[in-house]
């Protein structure tokens, strides 16, 4: 690639996140005459790729592996053929981050939602009662992806009392340590400048349930009515999927936004680190427990249970922590034979301990 063409690529792709590191990674493919580009949309085995020469339509057949986590997805940087009919994507550059959830399939497959993301914007509607457990679930996936989460409380105009709004924000902050929580109203524009300052200049993925106001928020951040908006039901705040594909779009202040369809299910996928990040206060307390393998259930000297008893740790947080860890363990065990064996061994150990404790409680002659 000549210096002039290199300069052209940088000027054209820099708004989409192209940098020196991506250029270095692409160098071997440039020597083969392939074009660099970023995937801005994927559907039915084909994708739209933005290149220095404009947006190209390309087939992904050459890079469709057996592993569903390696399929081309929105946000990928790829090497595209300079011509041909059809034109093909030849390879994907190694991802820096990837947002993955488990599918509803019984095969326990992972589904990649977006790649090379810097910020994960979790949209939560204030039109309905807050589901803190679901927020924690989204945040676990976000942290695991390698992106920095941001919780955006949409439809803040529906909570006109500032004291009530402040309490709602505090409730979410308690469930999201280390995560900015921003109330936003697309109706009057409040909070949008804060979100823009937090995510501007990088790649952000917008996540949330149907009816969370994602498309309205996307339009506000994009400064145009790019995404269609549909009304939600007053009963439960839900609506139909407005967004049906994952689209990568330029934001006027810099950076790009990947909008995703509303997610009905948010299953964990090998997200133990992410769960630990969401419940960092519990992880910190666990380090003070008497036993290093404390399950925080009934063990003596458990610092976690002591914190619950003292009121320093909400019991709901501990229940949510246990639930997500168990779910994540089940998902991983389905694809890890060694872990399955360890879980069975642990179950037997706990069963034996429970039986021994019961016999000790009843005394040596209780069978007589």
């Amino acid at each position: 690639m000549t210096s002039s063409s290199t300069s052209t690529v940088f000027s054209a792709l820099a708004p989409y996140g192209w940098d020196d590191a991506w250029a270095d990674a692409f160098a071997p493919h440039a020597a083969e005459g392939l074009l660099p580009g970023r995937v801005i949309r994927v559907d039915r085995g084909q994708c739209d790729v933005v290149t220095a020469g404009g947006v190209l339509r390309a087939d992904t057949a050459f890079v469709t592996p057996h592993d569903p986590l390696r399929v081309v997805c929105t946000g990928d940087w790829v090497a595209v053929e300079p011509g041909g009919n059809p034109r093909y994507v030849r390879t994907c550059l190694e991802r820096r981050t990837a947002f993955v959830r488990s599918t509803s399939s019984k095969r326990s497959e992972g589904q990649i939602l977006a790649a090379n993301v810097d910020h994960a914007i979790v949209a939560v509607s204030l039109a309905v009662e807050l589901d803190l457990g679901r927020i924690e679930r989204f945040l676990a996936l976000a942290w695991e992806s390698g992106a920095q989460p941001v919780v955006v409380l949409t439809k803040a105009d529906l909570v006109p009392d500032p004291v009530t709004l402040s309490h709602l924000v505090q409730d979410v902050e308690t469930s999201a340590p280390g995560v900015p929580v921003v109330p936003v109203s697309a109706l009057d524009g409040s909070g949008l400048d804060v979100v823009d300052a937090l995510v501007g200049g990088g790649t952000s993925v917008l996540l949330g349930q149907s009816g969370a106001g994602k498309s309205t928020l996307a339009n506000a951040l994009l400064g145009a009515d790019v995404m269609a908006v549909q009304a939600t039901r007053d009963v439960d705040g839900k609506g139909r999927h407005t967004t049906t594909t994952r689209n990568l779009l330029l934001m006027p202040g810099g950076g790009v936004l990947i909008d995703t369809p509303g997610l009905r299910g948010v299953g964990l996928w090998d997200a133990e680190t992410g769960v630990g990040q969401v419940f960092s206060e519990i992880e910190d307390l666990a380090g003070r427990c008497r036993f290093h393998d404390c399950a925080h259930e009934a063990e003596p000297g458990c610092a976690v249970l002591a914190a619950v008893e003292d009121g320093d740790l909400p019991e709901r947080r501990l229940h949510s922590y246990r639930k997500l860890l168990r779910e994540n363990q089940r998902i991983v065990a389905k694809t890890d034979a060694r872990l399955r064996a360890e879980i069975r061994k642990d179950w037997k150990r706990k069963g034996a301990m429970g039986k021994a404790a019961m016999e000790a409680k009843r005394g040596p002659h209780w069978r007589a």
Side-chain angles (χ1 to χ4, degrees), residues 215-360:
S215 294
T216 301
L217 176 60
N219 287 336
L221 292 173
L222 295 167
D225 291 335
V226 177
M227 312 306 298
V229 177
Q230 294 178 345
T232 58
R233 297 192 296 260
D234 292 334
V235 175
D236 54 13
K238 296 181 180 179
R240 291 179 294 167
H241 292 317
T242 303
T243 307
T244 56
T245 58
R246 299 172 191 91
N247 304 282
L248 186 150
L249 302 158
L250 285 174
M251 292 197 291
V256 295
L257 180 70
I258 300 175
D259 193 17
T260 64
L263 301 175
R264 291 192 179 91
V266 194
L268 300 185
W269 179 259
D270 197 4
E272 183 177 356
T273 301
V275 173
Q277 188 77 32
V278 175
F279 298 93
S280 57
E281 80 277 32
I282 297 179
E283 298 267 304
D284 290 342
L285 287 167
R288 306 175 206 166
C289 292
R290 181 183 303 177
F291 304 108
H292 76 277
D293 59 347
C294 184
H296 321 306
E297 292 178 352
E299 296 86 348
C302 176
V304 174
L305 294 179
V308 172
E309 187 174 345
D310 292 342
D312 296 328
L313 175 67
E315 190 171 5
R316 186 206 66 79
R317 287 278 286 171
L318 180 57
H319 286 324
S320 184
Y321 175 67
R322 289 169 174 162
K323 178 181 178 181
L324 292 184
L325 279 183
R326 286 195 300 267
E327 178 185 327
N328 188 70
Q329 192 175 52
R330 286 196 300 270
I331 289 293
V332 175
K334 288 181 180 180
T335 57
D336 189 329
R338 179 186 59 79
L339 182 60
R340 284 199 299 273
E342 288 181 358
I343 291 174
R344 284 196 295 269
K345 183 178 179 180
D346 188 52
W347 284 343
K348 289 180 180 179
R349 180 181 64 82
K350 288 182 178 179
M353 289 174 59
K355 182 178 179 181
M358 182 61 71
E359 289 180 349

Side-chain angles (χ1 to χ4, degrees), residues 61-305:
F62 273 104
V63 286
T64 302
H66 295 297
D67 182 355
L69 298 183
R70 298 306 306 168
V71 299
V72 176
C73 79
T74 303
D76 270 326
W77 285 100
V78 297
V80 189
E81 293 176 340
N85 187 19
R87 188 192 307 263
Y88 289 98
V89 171
R90 285 292 177 175
T91 190
C92 287
L93 299 188
E94 185 176 350
R95 293 163 179 158
R96 294 177 181 173
T97 61
F99 195 98
V100 181
R101 68 164 179 172
S102 68
T103 66
S104 57
S105 168
K106 293 182 180 179
R107 293 177 294 179
S108 301
E109 293 180 342
Q111 178 190 22
I112 182 163
L113 300 180
N116 302 311
V117 172
D118 302 302
H119 307 280
I121 304 173
V122 180
V124 180
S125 174
L126 289 176
V128 294
E129 185 177 353
L130 288 176
D131 185 341
L132 298 177
R134 180 169 288 271
I135 294 172
E136 289 161 347
R137 181 181 293 271
F138 269 111
L139 292 176
L141 291 175
W143 281 122
E144 190 68 32
S145 76
Q148 165 67 51
V150 177
V151 177
V152 174
L153 303 179
T154 65
K155 308 179 184 181
D157 50 280
L158 297 180
V159 188
D161 178 26
V163 175
T164 301
L165 181 60
S166 176
H167 287 319
L168 292 171
V169 171
Q170 289 175 10
D171 286 343
V172 178
E173 287 176 337
T174 300
S175 301
V179 178
V181 179
V182 186
V184 163
S185 170
L187 188 65
D188 60 25
S190 60
L192 290 173
D193 56 337
V194 179
V195 177
D196 196 55
L198 287 169
V199 305
T203 297
S204 302
V205 61
L206 184 53
L207 306 156
Q209 288 183 281
S210 298
K214 291 193 307 88
S215 294
T216 301
L217 176 60
N219 287 336
L221 292 173
L222 295 167
D225 291 335
V226 177
M227 312 306 298
V229 177
Q230 294 178 345
T232 58
R233 297 192 296 260
D234 292 334
V235 175
D236 54 13
K238 296 181 180 179
R240 291 179 294 167
H241 292 317
T242 303
T243 307
T244 56
T245 58
R246 299 172 191 91
N247 304 282
L248 186 150
L249 302 158
L250 285 174
M251 292 197 291
V256 295
L257 180 70
I258 300 175
D259 193 17
T260 64
L263 301 175
R264 291 192 179 91
V266 194
L268 300 185
W269 179 259
D270 197 4
E272 183 177 356
T273 301
V275 173
Q277 188 77 32
V278 175
F279 298 93
S280 57
E281 80 277 32
I282 297 179
E283 298 267 304
D284 290 342
L285 287 167
R288 306 175 206 166
C289 292
R290 181 183 303 177
F291 304 108
H292 76 277
D293 59 347
C294 184
H296 321 306
E297 292 178 352
E299 296 86 348
C302 176
V304 174
L305 294 179

Side-chain angles (χ1 to χ4, degrees), residues 1-12:
M1 189 179 292
T2 65
S3 59
S4 60
S5 59
T6 299
S7 176
T8 300
V9 167
F10 262 93
S11 60

